Amino acid sequence: MVGTSKALILSYEHGRSSPSPQRLADLAWVLGVPASTLQNGEALQLSDLRTARGLTVAALAAELGLAPNTYRRIESSGVLPKRRPGTFWDLARVLDVPCAQLHEAIRQIPSVQERRRYALSTLAPIWRLALSPGPFQALQDTSYHSQGLAHSYEAASSTVSKVVNILLANLRQLAHQRAQLEAHRDFTAHTRPVAAYERELDVISERIEQEIDSAPETLERYLVNPLPQGCWHSLAKLYLAGPAGIDDAVALDDNVTTLGKVFDGYLVRDTWDGLCLSDAGVLFFVDTLPYYRVIYAPPERVIRPEPHSYGWPSYHSRSAPYRRHRLRTAHVLGHDPRPLWDDGTWMTIRRG
């Protein structure tokens, strides 16, 4: 039915050889199952997604408008081309997979897994010091840990230390909150039941674990595949412009128009007057500002993180107090934030 020999089919079944992309597509069609079910189960790499679509490296590179060697680097090291913003969205469209599945496939690339393991082992003693009581010294550019991470992520040690210090500041703040709760629970005369303090302590401890577990992904997001500098500067201009946005004459700039593609038309919207950020776009910029501010220099002036300073509305959690934190985490890790944002009805938006 697929036009091959019995011996070759048996070699596929016993794992002695692997079918070509076109042969895999033929096998899936004959068996009536998705091609991904004939591969490596849940741990699919990017190359597996490509093969499941019946595409060779050259064919997929042509679909994306990239050189074959450029695409091979994506499959081998998980590094997206910085001069082609929006490649991730193009990949999801051509491979016809959800963004979450594409993120997971990139994470399964061996070199990406190796970077993550190295980051976890290198940062483990730093996390322990940050969570211990007492004074703490920030990570220095010349330290052994910064130099090792810089070599692993192919980034400047100064940039590595700045990003890690942001993560350390978050952990120190959570540790301080946990210590305060423990002190109130143990040494303060209060009417609250002890179980209430225990629940809050469990929540903070869970957030600390999430911060530690997500650190390698954060480093991957900002040291390996950050938003290109020109696009971030254009995003900053849209934020500084406020709800009025930027008129059409300025919006013709390549970096600004590319933002619509980078964010899949979700964070940037086109109005009668030009381009401006959506409500979710404002939150995205505020969440990622601490990281991009240390990676790239501000475009014109110091940017204040308060949205109301530029005429944007204020946001307050209404019915889901922890959903804002999950949205912020999705922004920082570069995941698709739409499932967490929904239509924004869970937020109270105060305008004026």
Side-chain angles (χ1 to χ4, degrees), residues 338-352:
R338 277 172 291 192
L340 300 176
W341 171 259
D342 196 11
D343 56 355
T345 54
W346 54 277
M347 302 286 283
T348 299
I349 302 177
R350 299 178 182 175
R351 300 184 182 276

Side-chain angles (χ1 to χ4, degrees), residues 22-69:
Q22 185 57 50
R23 181 61 50 76
L24 181 67
D26 294 339
L27 287 168
W29 180 80
V30 169
L31 296 174
V33 297
S36 57
T37 62
L38 303 180
Q39 296 175 305
N40 299 325
E42 297 181 356
L44 295 179
Q45 299 182 28
L46 181 56
S47 58
D48 297 322
L49 297 182
R50 170 181 57 78
T51 305
R53 293 293 295 172
L55 297 172
T56 62
V57 169
L60 183 52
E63 287 277 350
L64 298 173
L66 299 174
N69 287 338

Side-chain angles (χ1 to χ4, degrees), residues 198-242:
E198 295 293 344
R199 285 194 297 268
E200 292 185 24
L201 286 171
D202 289 341
V203 171
I204 292 182
S205 298
E206 183 180 354
R207 287 188 56 184
I208 289 176
E209 292 179 2
Q210 290 175 353
E211 290 283 342
I212 293 176
D213 293 341
S214 63
E217 272 198 74
T218 304
L219 296 179
E220 197 78 20
R221 174 74 173 91
Y222 290 101
L223 300 180
V224 180
N225 293 315
L227 186 69
Q229 183 173 3
C231 285
W232 185 78
H233 282 176
S234 299
L235 190 68
K237 291 178 183 178
L238 288 171
Y239 179 75
L240 295 173

Side-chain angles (χ1 to χ4, degrees), residues 142-218:
T142 55
S143 67
Y144 166 79
H145 303 91
S146 295
Q147 298 287 344
L149 289 172
H151 177 74
S152 178
Y153 285 92
E154 299 182 6
S157 59
S158 58
T159 304
V160 171
S161 62
K162 290 175 182 176
V163 173
V164 172
N165 284 331
I166 294 176
L167 302 177
L168 290 174
N170 295 338
L171 279 180
R172 293 284 289 179
Q173 184 179 14
L174 290 173
H176 179 66
Q177 293 176 7
R178 183 170 63 180
Q180 283 185 324
L181 277 174
E182 291 173 344
H184 282 297
R185 179 196 61 187
D186 299 334
F187 304 108
T188 305
H190 48 74
T191 58
R192 293 184 66 193
V194 176
Y197 287 101
E198 295 293 344
R199 285 194 297 268
E200 292 185 24
L201 286 171
D202 289 341
V203 171
I204 292 182
S205 298
E206 183 180 354
R207 287 188 56 184
I208 289 176
E209 292 179 2
Q210 290 175 353
E211 290 283 342
I212 293 176
D213 293 341
S214 63
E217 272 198 74
T218 304

Side-chain angles (χ1 to χ4, degrees), residues 232-234 236-238 240-241 246 250 297-303 310:
W232 185 78
H233 282 176
S234 299
K237 291 178 183 178
L238 288 171
L240 295 173
I246 300 178
V250 183
E300 297 171 350
R301 53 192 170 98
V302 176
I303 301 174
Y310 307 100

